[in-house]
Amino acid sequence: MFAYFRGRLVSVLPEEALVEVAGIGYRLMISATTRRRLPDPGSEVLLFSHLAVREDAFQLYGFSTEEERQLFRLLLLASGVGPRLAIAVLFHVDAHAIADIPAHIDAPTTHRVAQDVTRRAVDDQATAVHCVAAAILRVALAD
C-alpha cells in the first residue's frame, strides 16, 4: 500500500522512528540496522515501508534500504513467522550478515534449531538470532 515515506525525522527510539510527512506523523517499527543509518532528528529521511494488517491493528515497518525490506518480506513467507519475529531477527542481524550463513546447514536442522531457540532463552543472543534467521530463510526458500 505504501512504498516509502519521505519526510522529516521527528524522533528515533530503539525500535521505532517517527516521520512527519505533509503534517502527518507516521510511527514505523525499525530494525537496528535502519536505526544506525538514520540521520539526526530534524533531517529529511526516506524509509521504505511495509504495512502489516491484523484484525486489531495496522502497523507500519520502515527500512533504510529496499534490500532490508525484501528480506523482511522473505522472512514473512515462512510458516509461523509474523512481522514481530521478522523485525526481531532484523533487529539483531544485519541483512548483509545473513548472506554469510553457512550453506552446508540443511533446512530441517536449522528449522529444529530455530524452534528450540525461540522456545527458551539462550546465552549467546546474537548466535541464537543468527540461527533463527538461517532457519527461517532456508525454510522459506525451500517452500
Side-chain angles (χ1 to χ4, degrees), residues 23-135:
I24 301 172
Y26 295 93
R27 186 176 311 277
L28 297 100
M29 301 300 294
I30 57 172
S31 69
T33 302
T34 293
R35 188 181 72 238
R36 284 190 301 270
R37 293 178 178 165
L38 289 175
D40 293 330
S43 302
E44 183 172 307
V45 68
L46 171 72
L47 290 175
F48 296 93
S49 62
H50 175 85
L51 176 63
V53 178
R54 294 188 349 215
E55 184 176 309
D56 61 340
F58 289 79
Q59 179 64 60
L60 286 168
Y61 293 85
F63 309 94
S64 59
T65 65
E66 177 64 26
E67 177 185 62
E68 187 179 24
R69 178 173 65 173
Q70 289 175 357
L71 178 57
F72 175 81
R73 288 178 171 173
L74 179 61
L75 291 168
L76 292 177
L77 294 176
S79 177
V81 177
R84 287 184 186 196
L85 179 55
I87 202 73
V89 169
L90 293 177
F91 190 81
H92 293 286
V93 179
D94 188 298
H96 297 291
I98 292 175
D100 297 331
I101 294 169
H104 67 276
I105 303 173
D106 64 337
T109 301
T110 52
H111 187 66
R112 284 192 304 275
V113 169
Q115 288 176 335
D116 187 46
V117 165
T118 56
R119 282 192 203 118
R120 59 186 169 82
V122 179
D123 293 333
D124 184 355
Q125 188 67 22
T127 300
V129 173
H130 200 78
C131 288
V132 171

Side-chain angles (χ1 to χ4, degrees), residues 8 13 15 117 136:
R8 184 177 64 88
L13 296 173
E15 297 179 359
V117 165
I136 291 169

